[in-house]
Amino acid sequence: MGIALDTRTGTPIVVLNDQENRRALPIWIGTAEASAIIRQLEDIKSARPMTHDLLANVVEATGFSITKIEINDISSDTYFASIYMAHSDGTVHVIDSRPSDAIALALKAKVQIFATANVMAEGTISTDQERDEAEAQEFKNFLTDLKASDFKFEGEIESDQ
């Protein structure tokens, strides 16, 4: 989605959205990392390579390509990420990374950014409260109207009696 600033502290926040724009994943990052991400989002070229440019060049020079980025864990408000790299010989390497560096690299390499289910469950916030409430009400209505006869069992029931 982009970069925002925490109004209380002035700290940059990178905000990732899911494909449906229903959930947002805010990750507090450093100023240098925010600058790198903004430069990639806005396609601003640097006179000299930035760290993510250097890493992308090294990856390419060694015969690898970046295939995806995954934000894969959260612990004590700290996020963890992995960079997935594939070699032309079929070798795949997974490299531990800070999310901000991985995101800048993903934007440079034009690859998808993924988040695991636990990160989505623990770290995201709703961006479509109205739709969430409508779906919750629809589910409540479904449960209210549910009867035992709605369930069909095929097979034999074994009993110890």
Side-chain angles (χ1 to χ4, degrees), residues 3-4 11-14 27-35 37 99-101 103:
I3 300 290
T11 304
I13 305 167
V14 63
I27 302 174
W28 278 251
I29 61 174
T31 304
E33 293 80 9
S35 175
I37 291 169
S100 54
D101 294 329
I103 291 166

Side-chain angles (χ1 to χ4, degrees), residues 157-161:
I157 298 175
E158 292 184 26
S159 174
D160 291 340
Q161 298 177 353

Side-chain angles (χ1 to χ4, degrees), residues 25-157:
L25 176 62
I27 302 174
W28 278 251
I29 61 174
T31 304
E33 293 80 9
S35 175
I37 291 169
I38 289 169
R39 287 177 172 277
Q40 283 305 133
L41 287 172
E42 310 242 340
D43 199 25
I44 298 170
K45 304 295 181 210
S46 299
R48 301 289 300 140
M50 295 186 71
T51 303
H52 66 278
D53 296 319
L54 172 64
L55 182 54
N57 292 341
V58 169
V59 167
E60 185 178 322
T62 58
F64 282 86
S65 61
I66 296 163
T67 58
K68 73 175 182 175
I69 302 302
E70 182 180 76
I71 313 299
N72 53 24
D73 204 2
I74 179 174
S75 176
S76 301
D77 294 329
T78 299
Y79 288 87
F80 299 84
S82 294
I83 301 166
Y84 286 75
M85 303 183 334
H87 193 271
S88 55
D89 68 6
T91 306
V92 175
H93 289 281
V94 181
I95 309 297
D96 184 36
S97 175
R98 295 184 305 178
S100 54
D101 294 329
I103 291 166
L105 193 56
L107 294 170
K108 172 81 176 166
K110 296 180 177 23
V111 298
Q112 289 186 312
I113 301 168
F114 294 90
T116 58
N118 67 313
V119 169
M120 292 299 291
E122 291 183 42
T124 61
I125 56 174
S126 175
T127 57
D128 192 347
Q129 198 71 28
E130 189 175 305
R131 189 167 164 191
D132 289 347
E133 289 172 8
E135 286 180 357
Q137 187 58 48
E138 183 179 324
F139 185 66
K140 286 178 188 174
N141 293 343
F142 167 77
L143 291 177
T144 301
D145 297 337
L146 195 61
K147 301 181 294 293
S149 61
D150 292 335
F151 294 94
K152 181 179 177 184
F153 179 78
E154 293 181 14
E156 295 181 27
I157 298 175

